Amino acid sequence: MRESRLWAFHLICGAGLLVLLSLHMGLMHYAGILALLGWVREPVLSFPSVVERGRGAAWAVMYVLLLGFALYHGLYGLRGVLGEIWDTPRAARFINAGVVTFGLAVLVYGVAVAVQAARL
Amino acid sequence: MAEITGNPEGSVPEGGILTLRVARYDPERDRAARPQEWKVKILPGMTVLDALFAVKEEQDGSLAFRCSCRMGVCGSCGMFINGKPRLACNTQVNELGPVVEVAPLPNHDAIKDLVPDLALTFRRHRAVLPYIIRNDVAEMESPTREFGQTPEELARYVQFSYCLKCSLCLAACPTVSTSEQFLGPQALAQAYRFVADTRDAGLGERAGVVDASHGVFGCHLAGACSEACPKGVDPALGIQLLKRSLFVGPPHRAPAQVVSAFPEGYRTPEAAERPKAPPPSV
Amino acid sequence: MVAEAQTPVRTQVPSRLSMRLGLRGWVYAGRYPAERYLYILHRLCGLGLILYLPLHVWVTGRRLQGPEAWQQTMAILSRPVFVAGEILVLAAFVFHAINGFRLLFGHLGCALGRPEYPVYPYPVALHRQRRLTTALMVLAGAFLAAGVWGLLTK
Ligand code: HEM
Ligand code: HEM
Ligand code: HEM
Ligand code: SF4
Ligand code: FES
């Protein structure tokens, strides 16, 4: 595939992450501030609140999207970084196979977790 | 570039003594760089290149470096001078302080002393098809008239056309420092120079080279190339505009058509409002 | 990719001295300007985050094992080493996200100004967005401080 397509998707995922991951991190790390505004009930990391969040279909979708975006964006970036160190065509095949395999494995596991968590 | 014109290390008085420390390399003797130092008397307006000449003429004739124009237009004398890639002929010693350290250009092979091998740079340059590409082959083979281009259209790419192929930007580029395959700022900026030329229709053909692995997306906007460039080419800007062109096409919709030439001395009515070519700056 | 062209890459010279910087060229920004340092940080933080992600997915997957397993995991994560790690992840995210926002535009040739006649002192496009860059870095500092404060007072 043309590099620009892969790269455009890297940027699109970056933009998506900016929204979704900011939500995620906002919830996890700025909960104190959000609690002042009355938006969350602390503590965000207790088992009940984790399970409760995971239950909604909307949350499951959001997590799957977050996972997909982060994996594609991050692994495309990693592929680029590695490809600049080992820049032969042979190395490129190896790196591509590596990131795709690794990405799919984490994706499958992560989606399974999110789906099962929605049923908890 | 503005930073380089400053005088961070403090100036040295004319008539003072300069310590010139050079990383030397003799392919028949050395396996690594060998530092050597000389004292040089500072003359008014002395450049690093002048100092190297002073050494070569008066102290050590075996010192090798490359130059031609000694006025910043040929791009032969790129070296690593006090922590930055610069043109030796374009750098006054009184910008640098009493100790001037010179080494061959980073990211290149040194052939001898301060002479870098620029073959790879030229090969990268050629790889991006650095010439006007058009579909009207007949007109290209035997031109009948000229192609129209306004000064505004010229302004969209003229800065990129100032490139000397001095390779300073490649010496500054972090991606080039690990990857020989990466096209590098010089070639990518030249690709955009032609893509943005209204007479050109070659984006698709060049995309085969720049829109591939080790092409334009090896640029991560670190900006070091633009800082190193002695001609204001600003390769980083050209590269980002090239990326954009790959998605939205070149800045012009269709390549310029042939136009009949105006009579000698003719001025269009709008000519007075158009930007004028700047007066010579040196 | 550089096509195999007509000229040989290396001419016939007995030996030569490679000045290639290698990985040192990535991490050494020397006398180059701010963006050159941001490039290093952006790359470092991006790599840190992608390293963290699979571990994170595995750790948060522990919630499927029930409350005890989760509590146990959280207890481990509240050890100082892991809290320090969490601060690093937070810092990496805050910086990478905010600088990434700048890069999203920059990479598409936006917020860089237009080409012009190069009249000395030569304009450099990245200098035109210095104010934006500075403002974003101040913002990143503020977010980071608030986040760390939140983490340490939990
Ligand atoms: C260090 C700060 C972070 C904390 C405390 C945190 C916490 C959590 C928690 C508790 C969950 C489980 C779901 C839930 O409770 O709602 C979760 C899920 C997730 N987090 Fe984070 N997270 C952090 C940072 C990140 C970062 C930086 C990323 C992206 C690289 C990320 C990506 C994800 C993803 C993709 C999931 C869904 C995993 C799945 O269910 O498959 N998190 N996170
Ligand atoms: C014995 C007589 C001459 C000698 C030894 C001589 C030598 C040179 C040299 C060495 C150059 C530089 C070449 C280069 O940069 O490629 C040059 C350039 C030039 N010469 Fe002469 N030259 C002579 C006579 C003339 C005459 C009679 C004219 C004009 C009628 C002339 C016009 C020029 C011009 C216009 C250039 C600049 C060309 C350019 O920049 O590309 N020269 N000459
Ligand atoms: C939060 C929103 C994010 C934004 C706006 C963002 C933006 C960007 C941008 C624009 C680039 C391109 C840099 C370049 O080529 O010059 C990039 C690179 C990268 N990103 Fe992100 N990113 C975000 C989150 C993440 C996350 C969560 C990860 C890890 C899972 C990640 C990992 C990487 C990696 C590894 C690179 C390659 C670094 C390099 O080539 O120097 N990013 N990011
Ligand atoms: S872009 Fe500038 S630094 Fe690079 S080769 Fe051309 S003139 Fe030299
Ligand atoms: S000698 Fe020509 S650029 Fe320096």
Side-chain angles (χ1 to χ4, degrees):
Chain A
M1 198 179 328
R2 291 231 309 268
E3 192 66 23
S4 53
R5 302 278 160 77
L6 300 175
W7 182 80
F9 201 52
H10 174 66
L11 282 205
I12 292 167
C13 289
L17 281 171
L18 199 56
V19 178
L20 294 185
L21 194 53
S22 298
L23 270 172
H24 184 56
M25 293 299 266
L27 187 65
M28 296 300 165
H29 283 294
Y30 299 90
I33 298 165
L34 296 180
L36 289 182
L37 299 171
W39 289 350
V40 290
R41 272 173 295 132
E42 281 190 283
V44 281
L45 286 177
S46 72
F47 188 72
S49 28
V50 167
V51 167
E52 196 190 327
R53 263 197 312 274
R55 223 170 254 152
W59 279 103
V61 169
M62 129 96 183
Y63 273 128
V64 168
L65 273 181
L66 174 60
L67 180 67
F69 283 175
L71 276 176
Y72 180 86
H73 176 90
L75 290 176
Y76 177 87
L78 181 65
R79 163 184 175 273
V81 171
L82 295 178
E84 286 168 18
I85 305 177
W86 294 287
D87 60 0
T88 61
R90 230 180 82 113
R93 279 196 298 279
F94 195 74
I95 294 166
N96 288 344
V99 294
V100 168
T101 315
F102 184 76
L104 284 179
V106 179
L107 185 70
V108 167
Y109 178 76
V111 170
V113 168
V115 168
Q116 280 173 268
R119 294 215 213 97
L120 270 184
Chain B
M1 281 300 296
E3 269 106 33
I4 296 177
T5 61
N7 194 353
E9 293 95 333
S11 64
V12 280
E14 277 158 15
I17 297 294
L18 177 80
T19 305
L20 190 64
R21 198 172 294 150
V22 176
R24 298 199 60 181
Y25 167 72
D26 178 348
E28 282 163 20
R29 278 177 44 197
D30 301 327
R31 322 205 91 229
R34 169 170 53 86
Q36 193 172 350
E37 228 179 77
W38 296 280
K39 303 276 184 210
V40 178
K41 191 158 160 288
I42 298 170
L43 301 174
M46 183 177 241
T47 63
V48 174
L49 185 62
D50 294 333
L52 291 169
F53 265 122
V55 169
K56 190 173 176 69
E57 284 165 7
E58 294 155 23
Q59 306 189 47
D60 188 341
S62 71
L63 179 62
F65 50 91
R66 186 197 281 135
C67 71
S68 174
C69 69
R70 53 102 186 91
M71 51 192 246
V73 297
C74 74
S76 303
C77 64
M79 303 169 190
F80 196 62
I81 301 171
N82 282 23
K84 272 196 170 173
R86 323 185 205 221
L87 295 178
C89 70
N90 215 22
T91 308
Q92 304 244 339
V93 295
N94 70 7
E95 292 175 31
L96 298 174
V99 180
V100 174
E101 296 196 17
V102 189
L105 270 188
N107 297 341
H108 294 72
D109 283 353
I111 296 171
K112 189 182 178 195
D113 292 343
L114 300 171
V115 183
D117 186 355
L118 299 182
L120 197 49
T121 300
F122 300 147
R123 209 177 100 193
R124 286 166 161 137
H125 177 68
R126 274 195 294 271
V128 302
L129 317 177
Y131 39 79
I132 298 280
I133 297 174
R134 292 181 64 92
N135 303 321
D136 44 1
V137 180
E139 182 66 28
M140 291 299 278
E141 295 296 321
S142 46
T144 54
R145 288 171 293 170
E146 60 192 73
F147 297 112
Q149 186 168 73
T150 65
E152 292 88 345
E153 290 169 340
L154 175 67
R156 286 206 203 122
Y157 72 84
V158 69
Q159 74 174 68
F160 307 117
S161 74
Y162 277 51
C163 174
L164 306 175
K165 290 103 198 151
C166 63
S167 225
L168 295 193
C169 50
L170 286 104
C173 175
T175 306
V176 172
S177 73
T178 55
S179 175
E180 230 175 66
Q181 294 293 311
F182 177 51
L183 282 170
Q186 188 278 333
L188 291 168
Q190 290 317 294
Y192 185 71
R193 176 253 172 272
F194 287 95
V195 164
D197 190 318
T198 51
R199 297 163 295 183
D200 184 84
L203 175 61
E205 223 170 298
R206 284 187 200 96
V209 189
V210 300
D211 188 0
S213 42
H214 310 299
V216 69
F217 301 111
C219 167
H220 305 290
L221 203 41
C225 54
S226 297
E227 219 63 33
C229 179
K231 289 314 245 188
V233 171
D234 202 351
L237 175 60
I239 295 169
Q240 313 323 310
L241 294 175
L242 179 62
K243 285 177 191 162
R244 186 205 296 192
S245 301
L246 288 174
F247 296 100
V248 303
H252 53 283
R253 288 218 176 71
Q257 295 307 304
V258 286
V259 293
S260 35
F262 290 115
E264 194 65 32
Y266 174 81
R267 283 268 164 273
T268 54
E270 320 89 68
E273 291 140 40
R274 288 191 181 138
K276 296 217 163 36
S281 56
V282 184
Chain C
M1 203 178 306
V2 182
E4 287 308 318
Q6 311 80 340
T7 40
V9 190
R10 296 174 197 288
T11 34
Q12 298 304 310
V13 174
S15 66
R16 44 188 60 219
L17 181 64
S18 173
M19 299 299 287
R20 186 167 287 284
L21 292 172
L23 287 179
R24 209 157 49 84
W26 289 9
V27 294
Y28 174 72
R31 303 186 44 189
Y32 295 112
E35 291 80 9
R36 182 65 181 71
Y37 285 85
L38 297 184
Y39 152 87
I40 302 172
L41 269 180
H42 194 82
R43 180 158 275 203
L44 218 65
C45 293
L47 291 178
L49 286 170
I50 189 61
L51 202 75
Y52 170 77
L53 182 62
L55 300 173
H56 181 60
V57 171
W58 178 74
V59 167
T60 55
R62 299 277 293 160
R63 67 189 188 275
L64 298 182
Q65 259 72 59
E68 292 80 32
W70 182 255
Q71 239 90 64
Q72 212 179 347
T73 315
M74 286 299 115
I76 295 172
L77 291 188
S78 58
R79 289 183 195 158
V81 210
F82 289 103
V83 174
E86 208 177 340
I87 292 179
L88 282 184
V89 171
L90 175 70
F93 159 72
V94 168
F95 172 77
H96 190 93
I98 290 180
N99 190 53
F101 174 77
R102 176 181 71 90
L103 291 175
L104 287 179
F105 288 94
H107 277 306
L108 293 170
C110 302
L112 288 173
R114 307 182 95 217
E116 48 187 280
Y117 280 94
V119 180
Y120 199 83
Y122 300 126
V124 172
L126 277 172
H127 294 180
R128 297 195 188 108
Q129 52 161 250
R130 275 285 160 76
R131 274 214 220 140
L132 172 73
T133 309
T134 314
L136 287 176
M137 289 308 118
V138 171
L139 192 69
F143 267 107
L144 185 58
V148 171
W149 175 77
L151 250 174
L152 296 181
T153 56
K154 195 149 65 179

